[in-house]
Amino acid sequence: TMLVSHRRYLLKKVWPTIPTPENKFQGLFTIYGGDFQKWLGHTDGDLWQSPNVFYPEEGPSPLEVLSELPVSPLLQCPPLPPKGCRVPQ
Amino acid sequence: RECSDSGPAAASTVLRVHFYHGIQGAAECSLLSFPPGDYVAEELCISAAKACSISPLYYNFFGLFREQDRLWFSPNHVFHLEETASEDLFFRLRYYFPGWYSSGPSRAYRYGVTKGSESPVLDDTVMSYLFFQWRNDFVNGLIQIPNSHETQEECLGMAVLDMSRLAKEKQMSPLDIYHNTSYKTFLPKDMRAQIQDCNFVTRKRIRFRFKRFIQQFSQCRTTVRDLKLKYLISMESLEKAFYTETFQVREASSGTLNILVAADTGIQWAREKDSVKVLQLLCDFPDVVHISIQQVSSEGSTEGRIVIINKQDGKSLEVEFQSLAEALSFVSLVDGYYRLTTDAQHYLCKEVAPPRLLEDISSHCHGPISIEYAIHRLQKCGNKHGVFILRSSPKDFYKYFLTFPVKIYDTIEYKHCQITKSANGEFNLSGTKRQFCSLQDLLKCYQKETIRSDTVVFQFSQCCPPKSKELSCLLVCRSNKGSDVPLSSS
């Protein structure tokens, strides 16, 4: 047994276990056929599907301050037809 | 290469804000340069965020960091820089929520108006920025990674992701990258040295197995985004130090100890007990009521500062920092996490309060909430005529909106009138002529006026202010709080 363990020791010295990256991608090729996104979704919990669908910003609404208008818009209206220029409420 | 905010980066440049990747359209340029002058940290962060296309919804996750003394600056810090000064700062993501990428049980997310309308904490732009930031910390050995077979394999896996990412960005094959650049440059400095110490045969074996896997991995169907995301997920599980800040303090009963702050664990301290380090929860962010900073009264130490954390249970904690700068770095961290987890419109300590937040508070501005959220709030007010919400734009740092309901025939519609802030800090309501030096003054003026938008006549008579601790999309629900915090505000 001395010889065997000595041989094992030597083997470990010359041929040690080395770190390899493939252990961190288990199932990527065997189960998910190289579909990284699918593999990722299954190994790291449900991921947000589309994290970029966020915050539509509507265009600003036009605005006028009545007191700032140069002349009252009601007076600027052409006289005919008389009802056409009224601001509908 | 021209990349300055303020003219050519000539000899007059005294302040540089660095990024971890090139700005769009200027691949090799990764900094903003500034001439002598006074600069508020918050405004520098906004300039940096704009240069990196980071929107207002995310910029409060960032801060300015000085590498040489590992100090963070509070948003209200003013840099006074004269002709002879030289300051190099990094624009870094400071606030990190583990599990932000997941919609599963261990997730962190932003509150939505209703259950099911939660949204992710970060977007792809921020994710990509964080990738380059953490990659920098990882490869340059800024964060110590435990040395075990397991972590070595994780590091090699990350090198595979990184090499494949680079290949995709350069439209080359990963094998070409492998032949041009040593795979070891994708690994942490310490691990490179360890591999270098191995004998020739072992080195060759590691290299061979790496090459064989890179070859296999190149057959994989993937995107740059997913490669970066997996890299960050691996990093998060590899070492907590990537998102934990540690401070050395003195405490009356325990002497010197370390305080650790992270989003998911709150404020912890590590006490030395029988030569074993024991981590104890000091308090979580929502438990903090107020923080104050005092000068150490004892002689001998004029630099030191005592930070007093007042808690909800009426108790308080006193810890002593070596300097004011370190105390402010710590307090701004807790204050920032408080705003992201507990109350978006509140500060814990006036010494670190962000200037924009003070402005928001005085004008009852909601911050960059979504349209959806603004409408939800107006609905809660019964869509009353005259009620309005002031919010800042989620897209543009220099725009605000007045959102209000209008009744058109039998339906309620919402109008969004825009306010712009000019470079010299003046506010103007779009469509009007006057400029105001504060939002408050602007509102005060137009609250008495009659407004017309399209065909609707309106008055901004009643402001709908933000509520304290309101659950909006500005707040993050953490994975450890998933069970005892309601999902929705409605």
Side-chain angles (χ1 to χ4, degrees):
Chain A
T1 50
M2 268 285 277
L3 256 174
V4 173
S5 70
H6 188 66
R7 260 188 60 178
R8 229 181 249 158
Y9 172 79
L10 274 181
L11 194 69
K12 241 196 140 181
K13 195 87 188 145
V14 187
W15 206 256
T17 321
I18 55 157
T20 64
E22 61 254 42
N23 292 338
K24 292 289 159 190
F25 297 92
Q26 266 167 21
L28 173 58
F29 294 100
T30 50
I31 301 170
Y32 299 102
D35 188 330
F36 190 78
Q37 195 179 31
K38 242 189 189 162
W39 170 80
L40 186 59
H42 280 88
T43 44
D44 290 296
D46 305 307
L47 301 180
W48 287 98
Q49 282 313 300
S50 45
N52 260 349
V53 287
F54 212 33
Y55 280 7
E57 191 57 78
E58 268 170 48
S61 314
L63 177 141
E64 294 166 300
V65 176
L66 295 192
S67 70
E68 280 189 3
L69 296 179
V71 191
S72 164
L74 294 176
L75 295 176
Q76 268 187 332
C77 287
L80 282 172
K83 274 190 164 184
C85 63
R86 288 240 159 222
V87 180
Q89 269 294 293
Chain B
R1 202 174 244 272
E2 167 64 70
C3 54
S4 159
D5 222 12
S6 39
S12 65
T13 288
V14 293
L15 169 65
R16 286 158 297 271
V17 177
H18 299 262
F19 308 123
Y20 292 97
H21 65 65
I23 311 168
Q24 239 169 13
E28 289 123 62
C29 170
S30 56
L31 77 157
L32 291 176
S33 334
F34 299 89
D38 289 351
Y39 299 96
V40 180
E42 186 176 58
E43 290 304 315
L44 291 174
C45 270
I46 289 173
S47 301
K50 279 168 73 180
C52 299
S53 311
I54 289 163
S55 82
L57 199 59
Y58 309 102
Y59 97 105
N60 54 351
F61 284 72
F62 288 80
L64 293 177
F65 180 70
R66 191 161 62 197
E67 237 171 33
Q68 75 230 37
D69 47 8
R70 307 201 60 76
L71 267 185
W72 290 90
F73 293 93
S74 63
N76 62 346
H77 181 88
V78 181
F79 295 92
H80 302 285
L81 298 166
E82 290 167 17
E83 298 281 342
T84 52
S86 177
E87 186 79 88
D88 283 277
L89 304 168
F90 275 87
F91 179 60
R92 274 179 79 89
L93 184 122
R94 189 179 197 192
Y95 304 90
Y96 181 82
F97 291 84
W100 61 273
Y101 41 80
S102 166
S103 61
S106 64
R107 63 184 180 157
Y109 57 86
R110 287 169 186 265
Y111 289 101
V113 167
T114 54
K115 196 175 169 170
S117 69
E118 298 86 5
S119 47
V121 178
L122 306 177
D123 71 353
D124 282 359
T125 311
V126 181
M127 187 271 280
S128 178
Y129 191 87
L130 182 62
F131 167 81
F132 287 106
Q133 179 181 318
W134 277 11
R135 184 192 186 278
N136 170 75
D137 297 359
F138 177 73
V139 173
N140 296 322
L142 298 179
I143 303 285
Q144 282 286 313
I145 289 158
N147 178 20
S148 70
H149 184 78
E150 179 73 17
T151 54
Q152 285 184 340
E153 294 206 323
E154 191 75 86
C155 292
L156 286 167
M158 287 167 65
V160 168
L161 297 168
D162 200 13
M163 214 179 239
S164 309
R165 186 263 323 166
L166 192 64
K168 277 202 184 299
E169 281 176 350
K170 293 193 162 180
Q171 293 177 320
M172 291 163 73
S173 95
L175 218 52
D176 289 338
I177 304 276
Y178 175 88
H179 288 303
N180 291 339
T181 327
S182 164
Y183 77 98
K184 287 200 280 282
T185 58
F186 294 83
L187 294 171
K189 221 163 60 179
D190 289 353
M191 193 175 161
R192 284 204 291 274
Q194 279 160 20
I195 294 175
Q196 218 55 54
D197 282 346
C198 295
N199 67 52
F200 171 73
V201 182
T202 309
R203 286 206 311 267
K204 201 175 160 88
R205 282 174 63 212
I206 298 175
R207 197 165 60 233
F208 175 76
R209 290 288 290 273
F210 186 87
K211 183 186 173 186
R212 206 177 62 181
F213 189 68
I214 264 286
Q215 227 162 351
Q216 189 190 7
F217 196 82
S218 64
Q219 308 298 313
C220 189
R221 293 183 302 285
T222 184
T223 59
V224 169
R225 176 193 176 268
D226 286 345
L227 290 168
K228 286 178 180 168
L229 182 59
K230 177 62 188 170
Y231 193 91
L232 290 177
I233 296 172
S234 304
M235 196 94 94
E236 182 190 295
S237 66
L238 194 60
E239 180 50 56
K240 268 181 158 251
F242 280 106
Y243 55 90
T244 306
E245 282 185 44
T246 309
F247 301 86
Q248 207 176 57
V249 298
R250 282 173 51 79
E251 200 253 343
S253 63
S254 331
T256 305
L257 45 83
N258 285 326
I259 289 193
L260 283 73
V261 183
D264 52 344
T265 47
I267 311 167
Q268 293 177 307
W269 59 17
R271 285 171 192 267
E272 218 54 67
K273 235 182 206 170
D274 307 324
S275 72
V276 183
K277 279 221 164 120
V278 189
L279 269 182
Q280 276 179 306
L281 179 69
L282 212 59
C283 66
D284 198 4
F285 310 115
D287 303 333
V288 185
V289 176
H290 176 74
I291 300 178
S292 58
I293 303 172
Q294 284 178 7
Q295 189 140 16
V296 175
S297 52
S298 70
E299 73 266 19
S301 153
T302 48
E303 275 281 282
R305 289 293 186 283
I306 293 177
V307 170
I308 304 161
I309 304 170
N310 295 292
K311 298 196 295 174
Q312 235 164 10
D313 58 10
K315 292 179 185 155
S316 67
L317 295 155
E318 285 189 22
V319 284
E320 186 187 325
F321 285 79
Q322 274 164 12
S323 67
L324 174 63
E326 262 184 65
L328 290 172
S329 183
F330 167 77
V331 176
S332 65
L333 178 66
V334 176
D335 186 53
Y337 269 129
Y338 184 84
R339 250 187 314 286
L340 288 169
T341 58
T342 313
D343 191 341
Q345 301 286 324
H346 187 73
Y347 57 88
L348 294 171
C349 175
K350 67 173 191 311
E351 279 93 335
V352 298
R356 283 201 170 215
L357 178 74
L358 297 176
E359 196 175 88
D360 280 0
I361 291 173
S362 65
S363 58
H364 301 301
C365 177
H366 284 250
I369 56 168
S370 60
I371 288 185
E372 193 194 16
Y373 200 82
I375 290 174
H376 173 74
R377 275 301 304 273
L378 290 169
Q379 281 167 347
K380 274 182 149 182
C381 296
N383 284 327
K384 267 185 288 182
H385 192 76
V387 172
F388 69 93
I389 268 184
L390 174 62
R391 61 191 174 93
S392 52
S393 164
K395 291 260 164 69
D396 189 323
F397 288 100
Y398 294 95
K399 279 186 186 146
Y400 298 80
F401 290 99
L402 289 167
T403 296
F404 55 95
V406 290
K407 204 169 176 181
I408 295 174
Y409 301 110
D410 281 337
T411 57
I412 299 283
E413 280 183 24
Y414 297 91
K415 297 259 177 202
H416 312 278
C417 290
Q418 184 177 289
I419 297 168
T420 47
K421 186 180 181 181
S422 66
N424 55 13
E426 286 188 320
F427 297 91
N428 169 257
L429 180 60
S430 297
T432 68
K433 291 175 187 141
R434 293 182 59 185
Q435 308 285 331
F436 298 88
C437 54
S438 77
L439 281 169
Q440 241 176 326
D441 290 350
L442 183 146
L443 288 176
K444 220 181 275 167
C445 169
Y446 291 114
Q447 275 181 332
K448 297 181 206 107
E449 297 278 359
T450 304
I451 309 289
R452 188 169 66 181
S453 177
D454 293 328
T455 55
V456 187
V457 174
F458 184 85
Q459 266 183 315
F460 295 115
S461 48
Q462 194 193 339
C463 176
C464 177
K467 279 191 212 143
S468 136
K469 302 192 180 174
E470 188 167 30
L471 299 183
S472 74
C473 55
L474 305 180
L475 285 189
V476 176
C477 176
R478 296 168 291 170
S479 48
N480 58 334
K481 294 284 168 283
S483 50
D484 54 347
V485 174
L487 267 177
S488 128
S489 61
S490 57

